[in-house]
Amino acid sequence: MKLSGVELRLISMPLVAPFRTSFGVETTREILLLRAVTDEAEGWGECVAMSDPLYSSEYVHAAVDVLTRFFIPALADVPELDGNAVAPALAKFKGHRMAKAALETAVLDAELRAQGRSMGRELGAVRDRVPCGVSVGIMDSIDELLDAVGGYLDAGYLRIKLKIEPGWDIAPVRAVRERFGDEVLLQVDANTAYTMADARHLAGLDPFGLLLIEQPFDEEDVLGHAELARVVSTPVCLDESITSARAAADAIRLGACQIVNIKPGRVGGYLEARRIHDVCSANGVAVWAGGMLETGIGRAANVALAALPGFTVPGDTSASDRYYRTDITEPFVLDQGHLAVPTGPGIGVTPIPDELAAVTSKVDWLPL
């Protein structure tokens, strides 16, 4: 394909309720969307960077800058452009994996649309629908948490993930177990809020039969996670620490994780995400699909990824109405705890023009 140019579009999506984690509270999601225009088709990608560099070092306006100044111009020199050519073309640039992932996805989506192939088929999906979990933020009270969890279980979600931090960990987990029983699939996510000094305290979660504890320590403390895995019986899952297939292989070798959360934006794209899936599968390590409060653009591709065979734990591939009253695509709707894998060409969805325009704050066109 020949790339004509890329549109960068900033949108602002109000959340249905504030979402609190150990690193802050979100009430509105600022999102960067990319539209790659080629001589054969157009493709869409969603950058999952947050407004502030809290989850990772990346943030929305830095992604706009690096895409504008470096990444998009670099594709002008690629003679045979397709999805697989993007990462090699950008390899000389350090970091900025979320921006790289958005650009690769937009190009890959255009390629697949031109060829009439779906993202699921391209990645190797083996299911036509995927089981869904939901992420529950830190609440102001236990009663508020129990009401929220009860609502999600009534809606049909098959797994509950509780965000935790020091001072909000054992008590909420105990309360959810006491109210809803041991049969509920339950896990916790610390988003790097603890240190090895908290290991014995985190072992207090062991009696509750959790699926996993996700990223309790700093993303660079892989050895600390390996030490923790020898102290607690709850399986340790890595998120922020896994930035590539190589990082996954190293963490597995060190015994730092028994489960891996794969977020395509965090690792540089869906093609690298598939490589991580393959590394984990070869080593008998389960994986699941994480989420970054995506719109339907990002959610569609995430659901396709979650349909690969190694994804054996319900992911954070929640329905559209978990976060947004109105999505910019046709909404993803929960059906008996599952979401359908899109079967149309590319990611299988496109923005609804009126909905997209209603939330757009800025559009830039970068011709090549």
Side-chain angles (χ1 to χ4, degrees):
M1 298 186 301
K2 179 176 176 53
L3 185 64
S4 303
V6 177
E7 177 187 271
L8 301 181
R9 181 183 292 262
L10 287 171
I11 66 173
S12 182
M13 299 280 288
L15 299 177
V16 295
F19 187 64
R20 178 181 166 191
T21 66
S22 62
F23 52 76
V25 180
E26 284 189 273
T27 56
T28 300
R29 190 80 164 92
E30 185 180 27
I31 299 170
L32 172 63
L33 299 177
L34 276 64
R35 180 172 63 94
V37 179
T38 77
D39 58 341
E40 298 182 24
E42 296 183 0
W44 290 86
E46 179 171 338
C47 182
V48 298
M50 298 172 60
S51 298
D52 304 310
L54 300 174
Y55 169 80
S56 78
S57 60
E58 296 187 65
Y59 59 99
V60 170
H61 290 279
V64 171
D65 182 71
V66 76
L67 283 159
T68 301
R69 296 174 61 190
F70 301 106
F71 293 174
I72 293 171
L75 297 190
D77 299 327
V78 180
E80 298 290 338
L81 182 64
D82 59 17
N84 283 287
V86 175
L90 305 182
K92 64 182 179 181
F93 302 112
K94 306 300 182 185
H96 299 279
R97 289 181 173 88
M98 293 177 180
K100 290 177 177 177
L103 184 55
E104 180 188 87
T105 304
V107 172
L108 180 59
D109 185 36
E111 174 194 351
L112 295 176
R113 289 180 192 270
Q115 297 175 355
R117 294 188 292 137
S118 70
M119 178 72 87
R121 178 180 175 185
E122 174 72 9
L123 296 177
V126 297
R127 295 183 286 270
D128 59 9
R129 63 182 199 147
V130 299
C132 298
V134 65
S135 181
V136 184
I138 296 167
M139 302 285 183
D140 291 332
S141 69
I142 294 293
D143 286 343
E144 183 183 6
L145 173 69
L146 294 176
D147 286 345
V149 170
Y152 292 130
L153 292 173
D154 289 344
Y157 284 103
L158 302 177
R159 185 229 68 200
I160 300 293
K161 180 173 84 173
L162 303 182
K163 294 288 188 176
I164 62 171
E165 64 181 0
W168 181 268
D169 41 38
I170 292 175
V173 169
R174 179 186 292 114
V176 169
R177 274 287 181 241
E178 289 177 351
R179 172 70 64 88
F180 300 105
D182 294 339
E183 67 276 7
V184 172
L185 297 179
L186 184 64
Q187 63 193 59
V188 295
D189 181 8
N191 289 116
T192 76
Y194 298 85
T195 70
M196 193 60 200
D198 301 305
R200 290 297 175 187
H201 176 74
L202 293 173
L205 294 167
D206 288 343
F208 299 107
L210 302 178
L211 289 172
L212 57 91
I213 177 171
E214 183 181 351
Q215 197 71 40
F217 301 161
D218 185 80
E219 64 186 76
E220 296 183 359
D221 192 8
V222 177
L223 287 177
H225 285 98
E227 292 180 37
L228 179 68
R230 293 191 285 270
V231 174
V232 302
S233 61
T234 302
V236 173
C237 170
L238 291 182
D239 173 358
E240 288 93 328
S241 295
I242 305 301
T243 55
S244 65
R246 176 180 293 180
D250 290 345
I252 293 169
R253 189 177 303 113
L254 289 168
C257 58
Q258 292 76 52
I259 301 174
V260 167
N261 171 351
I262 301 181
K263 290 178 179 171
R266 192 192 65 236
V267 305
Y270 289 87
L271 302 181
E272 185 67 13
R274 180 175 60 188
R275 295 183 192 101
I276 295 172
H277 163 273
D278 294 346
V279 166
C280 291
S281 293
N283 286 276
V285 172
V287 300
W288 58 283
M292 293 288 290
L293 284 65
E294 289 92 345
T295 70
I297 296 293
R299 193 174 311 278
N302 286 350
V303 170
L305 179 70
L308 270 64
F311 285 81
T312 56
V313 177
D316 286 342
T317 47
S318 307
S320 296
D321 63 4
R322 163 63 184 93
Y323 296 112
Y324 305 116
R325 298 191 191 282
T326 303
D327 207 337
I328 59 170
T329 67
E330 289 298 328
F332 282 82
V333 179
L334 203 65
D335 180 13
Q336 297 182 327
H338 292 73
L339 290 184
V341 178
T343 57
I347 61 173
V349 300
T350 54
I352 301 169
D354 288 347
E355 301 296 347
L356 184 60
V359 295
T360 295
S361 58
K362 185 179 181 182
V363 180
D364 288 316
W365 170 252
L366 303 177
L368 288 185

